Amino acid sequence: MTTPEANAPWLIVGLGNPGPGYADNRHNVGFMVADLLAERIGGSFKRHGKAQAQVLEARIGPPGPGSRRIVLAKPMSYMNLSGGPVTALRDFYKVPTAHIVAIHDELDIDYGALRLKLGGGDNGHNGLKSMTKSMGSDYHRVRFGIGRPPGRMQVADFVLKDFSATERKELGYFVDRASDAVEALVLEGLERAQSTYNS
């Protein structure tokens, strides 16, 4: 017998900052992955009436019982206030915290590498910090490696800069792979997705 939680939707949140000035920043890789997922679904984001976010409601996976209902979201607050919109969406769609996936940039992982996990600390990431403060830490993370800043560059400056010309050559491939990882997490579960995508 399936539990109500098994039938609950998944809330997939790409973290980033709104506005064209931030669009290509390293800190906005969560938005990039969310945009690609929306493109794959063939839908478009719409402003949500109850939360400061853009959302797309859809199903992913094979037709029938194997498919999953998802709410794809991009908070339209700034990164350090992400928790408010995500919590509002969680409550509106009645999503268990374990069905929430945050896609975000990660400094302590080499550029383009992925790590999927459930729970844990925020590692100084302001978007995760805000989410954890609002609803606890028991949500999934798809961590997209951006590497450490070169030389003495401050972390805040590094994450708010665009990917370098060299990085951009492979960015499309890595965003595509991260999108695959999100789909695998929702459809196949964390362990199988980790065994395929954690690098």
Side-chain angles (χ1 to χ4, degrees):
M1 195 173 97
T2 56
T3 63
E5 182 160 307
N7 294 321
W10 283 75
L11 175 57
I12 300 169
V13 182
L15 293 179
N17 285 307
Y22 295 102
D24 297 319
N25 290 179
R26 293 182 177 92
H27 222 17
N28 269 44
V29 76
F31 275 17
M32 295 174 198
V33 175
D35 285 338
L36 180 58
L37 286 166
E39 199 179 300
R40 289 180 176 188
I41 290 162
S44 55
F45 286 97
K46 295 185 172 51
R47 188 163 283 284
H48 193 272
K50 303 282 186 192
Q52 195 181 355
Q54 291 185 347
V55 299
L56 168 58
E57 297 175 47
R59 294 193 84 88
I60 61 169
S67 73
R68 296 284 181 272
R69 191 155 64 96
I70 66 160
V71 179
L72 190 58
K74 296 193 295 184
M76 291 289 112
S77 61
Y78 284 93
M79 178 72 88
N80 59 354
L81 300 172
S82 301
V86 176
T87 303
L89 292 172
R90 178 199 66 178
D91 295 346
F92 182 85
Y93 290 104
K94 299 179 171 56
V95 178
T97 306
H99 275 210
I100 296 173
V101 182
I103 310 162
H104 65 92
D105 56 304
E106 178 62 62
L107 288 158
D108 284 339
I109 302 175
D110 290 341
Y111 173 59
L114 294 174
R115 296 271 200 293
L116 283 66
K117 62 184 267 193
L118 174 63
D122 56 57
N123 206 19
H125 191 286
N126 287 332
L128 298 183
K129 201 175 287 184
S130 178
M131 284 180 62
T132 297
K133 189 177 175 188
S134 292
M135 60 189 190
S137 62
D138 295 332
Y139 53 90
H140 288 86
R141 298 101 190 277
V142 173
R143 305 158 73 204
F144 186 111
I146 60 169
R148 280 265 157 199
R152 295 185 175 184
M153 186 188 287
Q154 294 295 313
V155 164
D157 295 333
F158 179 69
V159 299
L160 293 176
K161 277 197 164 35
D162 292 357
F163 286 99
S164 70
T166 306
E167 288 169 333
R168 281 199 296 272
K169 287 175 185 167
E170 294 183 294
L171 182 59
Y173 167 77
F174 290 139
V175 168
D176 195 59
R177 193 165 181 272
S179 302
D180 291 344
V182 172
E183 292 180 352
L185 170 59
V186 172
L187 294 170
E188 300 169 19
L190 178 62
E191 283 185 23
R192 286 189 67 176
Q194 284 175 325
S195 67
T196 305
Y197 293 99
N198 274 18
S199 51

